[in-house]
Amino acid sequence: MTVEIISVGTEILLGNIVNTNAAYLSRQCAALGLSCYYQVVVGDNEARMAETMKTAIDRSDVVICSGGLGPTEDDMTKEVACSVMGERLVEDAETHRLIEMYMGRFVRSHRGYQITENNWKQAMVPEHGIVLKNDNGTAPGLIIDKNQKIIVLLPGPPSEMKPLFDQQVFPYLQRKQSEVIYSTTLKIVGSGESYVEMSIRDLIDTQTNPTIATYAKTGEVHLRLTAKAENEKKAKELITPVRLELEKRFETQIYTEDEEETLEMALVRLLYDHNLTVTTAESCTGGAIAARIVNVSGASSVFRQGYITYANEAKQNMIGVKGETLTRYGAVSEQTAREMSEGAACTAGCDCALSVTGIAGPTGGTKEKPVGLVYIGCTCRGKTSVKELHFSGNRGKIREQTVVTALAFLRECILNSL
């Protein structure tokens, strides 16, 4: 079956809120084996909304709308959907009772507030629709299943939409499907997208089921393997030989096969598994590497402290970089990166240390040391390695690339030391 996702709300069009609902629904639909070819955002306008829904229902089997189920005048998704599907609205007694209970609690805790007439608008439902109880708000979810077409109406707030979809819509649509789609992702660091794609060109050219798709991220490449089968077990069986072949080709460059695991999460896990501690010494990234590490729950078991040594005096006073080194080679040099890393490891008493020094721009570059030149140093169990890199882009992009590359370099050095 094909699915189309419609996100309702002028605030989305204006950029006042980020449309996270569409991304979430896309992932869930893919897991259901639904093919999504279109995503649309439409504002709170009756005529445009009706046109959007008619187009969607003509070209898709399932249409999922989020937003526009509230009590105000510009909340018209339900009314438009009923018009498009030829349904009339009737009051649902159970929904009326639940709204009364929900709003009653609100009134009791907000002195002077009263239930207004427009709140009962949310108790009006399609006459032949399926009402989905909303435990987190007053607007129920709704399903209109008619003439071999399905429209699903969900509230806009993610805290309401996600539980409704997970617990009630997902199982409903799953029963309509004769097959499932299963996906897994291999996350790779240390190679660019073009290199990765060329390395698997033979697999891509002959793929049928499963398929391989490459996605470029900053400093990473993600490979998504997707298989379609009558059940999840058989889909996994189809994926297994391809996954094993990719693991053989990329080996330790694959840092995780967990969709939710980030590079820093994998790094903290690696440090913890081998009882290692780490510190950082940062110049051009100004603490961004340490921030990525400590963003991981449990990082305190492996991360001791970090040093932001932006000025030369800080490099000397905090982690023992020699003044002679700075004078002779400069702050942005292989020698300084090496001393930063070794000094940080010694000062913090850690097994590993990561240092970065570079020119993020847009000023400060020279012919010999242009903007984008970065040195990354890594000390691991007494051995120090330094990498010279040349990044392009604006200041933010250069710093972002430096952070990811540094984390990947630390991971590589740890693995080489084991």
Side-chain angles (χ1 to χ4, degrees), residues 5-8 21 24-25 29 63-70 77-78 132-134 139-143 151-158 160-170 173:
I5 297 168
I6 301 177
S7 303
V8 178
N21 284 359
Y24 171 82
L25 291 169
C29 288
V63 177
I64 302 175
C65 303
S66 67
L69 298 184
T77 303
K78 177 174 55 183
L132 309 175
K133 182 184 175 185
N134 183 356
L142 301 164
I143 297 176
I151 286 188
V152 179
L153 308 179
L154 296 168
E160 298 180 38
M161 183 275 292
K162 290 182 179 180
L164 273 172
F165 190 91
D166 287 348
Q167 297 163 20
Q168 298 178 70
V169 179
F170 191 100
L173 294 177

Side-chain angles (χ1 to χ4, degrees), residues 113-145:
Y113 188 88
Q114 292 182 340
I115 301 177
T116 56
E117 190 61 32
N118 61 357
N119 285 120
W120 306 120
K121 172 186 173 184
Q122 295 178 304
M124 302 299 289
V125 303
E127 184 176 17
H128 300 104
I130 300 169
V131 180
L132 309 175
K133 182 184 175 185
N134 183 356
D135 293 324
N136 301 288
T138 56
L142 301 164
I143 297 176
I144 305 174
D145 192 336

